[in-house]
Amino acid sequence: MSPVRRRALLGAVALGVLALTGACAHGGPVDAGPAFYRALWLPSVGPTRYDPRQLPGKVVLVSFMATWCFPCLADLPTLKQIQETYGPQGFQVVAVGMDIDEGRVLGPFANHYAFPYPVLLSDERMRAGQSAFGRIRALPSTVLLDKHGRAVAAWQGIEGQADVAKAIEKLLKAD
């Protein structure tokens, strides 16, 4: 995805965040850290343990996906690889399933594939666009949070692994 399109998507995420928090836009990261973290207090499925209290201080990649979404499925090996590569350095992938079946499909799916990152069940409010992340208009959609929980990058579709890796490495080195 081009940098212009990526910025436009981050702007859309920022607008959703700003609309929900009442903040005003100032360039740079969208600073709704606690709001983004609170939005991820969702039930998890699958074998990977999840404690949302462990997210602050980590670089977090939030991937909104669904089991019926073919591009989402194509992105799963990339998510697995970046979690395994960067997890020991203070990085965390969090997948948020946007399926509407309350985990009847996502639960067995997550158990079968045993992802090395948590898989969360979205709730009605999130699917309606009433969370810090705003309305998720396409799947997969991804938001990258810095160590303070601020959205610093966002994109729709499958992002090139090299671009994602560069962004993660930069954030891991930052204070």
Side-chain angles (χ1 to χ4, degrees):
M1 176 176 292
S2 75
V4 171
R5 187 165 175 185
R6 185 176 307 134
R7 279 191 208 103
L9 180 56
L10 183 55
V13 169
L15 289 175
V17 170
L18 297 173
L20 291 170
T21 63
C24 36
H26 297 90
V30 177
D31 193 358
F36 286 126
Y37 292 144
R38 279 192 303 276
L40 295 173
W41 281 71
L42 297 166
S44 65
V45 294
T48 302
R49 298 181 67 99
Y50 176 64
D51 182 352
R53 295 172 295 186
Q54 294 179 354
L55 296 179
K58 292 185 178 183
V59 173
V60 179
L61 185 137
V62 183
S63 177
F64 296 93
M65 52 80 67
T67 58
W68 48 261
C69 166
F70 290 118
C72 299
L73 300 178
D75 203 29
L76 294 175
T78 299
L79 296 176
K80 179 181 179 188
Q81 183 175 2
I82 61 175
Q83 177 61 48
E84 290 172 346
T85 301
Y86 298 109
Q89 300 172 45
F91 171 78
Q92 182 64 62
V93 169
V94 176
V96 179
M98 300 298 281
D99 298 68
I100 60 173
D101 66 359
E102 300 174 357
R104 288 186 295 275
V105 173
L106 188 60
F109 179 83
N111 283 327
H112 176 77
Y113 287 101
F115 301 112
Y117 49 82
V119 178
L120 310 182
L121 295 171
S122 63
D123 59 17
E124 185 79 26
R125 291 179 45 81
M126 181 173 277
R127 289 190 300 274
Q130 298 170 350
S131 80
F133 294 100
R135 185 166 300 282
I136 306 302
R137 300 191 184 278
L139 295 176
S141 285
T142 307
V143 178
L144 186 61
L145 305 177
D146 68 9
K147 294 176 185 178
H148 305 287
R150 298 177 297 201
V152 296
W155 53 91
Q156 292 177 339
I158 298 175
E159 184 70 12
Q161 188 170 356
D163 293 338
V164 173
K166 287 178 192 174
I168 293 167
E169 289 170 5
K170 181 178 176 181
L171 291 172
L172 287 171
K173 292 177 185 173
D175 184 30

